[in-house]
Each structure stands twice: as structure tokens, then as C-alpha cells.
Amino acid sequence: ERAAAKKAEADVLMDQVKAVLTGEFQTIADIATAVAAVNPDATVSKVTYRLTKLVEAGDAEKTDVTVPGVDGGKARKVKAFRAILAD
């Protein structure tokens, strides 16, 4: 019974992550912030796991993007995701 409740909770988070994705690439931090606005229990780790599952299922695409450094710091590469939209 408890496992079923946990699974249902996970499915809700998966739907929330999917709803945030657009056709534009977004960083994990941006996606996690958007999901956390509607689900305070969402963590970066939980969101990253759902994003990976969406990529494996063919519902999302992953790439590296360069993010400029803060206060003139060195730029860094981070993972970004976008939804694969039906034509």
C-alpha cells in the first residue's frame, strides 16, 4: 500500500517535470526551480532522475550548453533538456 502511494507520488512529479519542458533547451537548475514552484518536495536529484527517464523514453532530448561564469568567472558546461515535440 505504501509502495503504491510512493509510485503515485513519483508519477505526479514526472508529469510536473514533463509539463515544465518546452521546445527550448533549459538547464537542470531552471527546470528544478520551475517544478519546485508547484511542488515544494521536488529536489534537483528527483528532477534530474525524471529528466533522465524522459530522455530514455524518447520524450526529451539532452545536450551540453555553456553557461557564462558569475562575476567574470570561467564559463562552464551544464546539461540542458528540452521536450521532443510532435510534428
Side-chain angles (χ1 to χ4, degrees):
E1 186 176 304
R2 183 163 187 223
K6 282 286 193 186
K7 183 167 175 36
E9 179 182 313
D11 291 345
V12 168
L13 184 56
M14 178 71 85
D15 292 340
Q16 291 168 342
V17 169
K18 204 174 200 180
V20 168
L21 290 178
T22 64
E24 300 292 319
F25 281 108
Q26 303 172 69
T27 65
I28 293 172
D30 293 340
I31 296 167
T33 301
V35 173
V38 294
N39 184 349
D41 293 332
T43 64
V44 173
S45 297
K46 289 178 181 179
V47 170
T48 302
Y49 175 78
R50 280 10 176 244
L51 288 167
T52 302
K53 289 298 178 187
L54 287 170
V55 170
E56 289 173 0
D59 294 328
E61 183 179 5
K62 176 171 73 170
T63 192
D64 290 326
V65 294
T66 302
V67 176
V70 179
D71 295 329
K74 186 176 178 182
R76 60 193 180 104
K77 286 195 178 244
V78 296
K79 299 292 181 199
F81 295 81
R82 72 176 177 185
I84 296 178
L85 304 173
D87 291 335

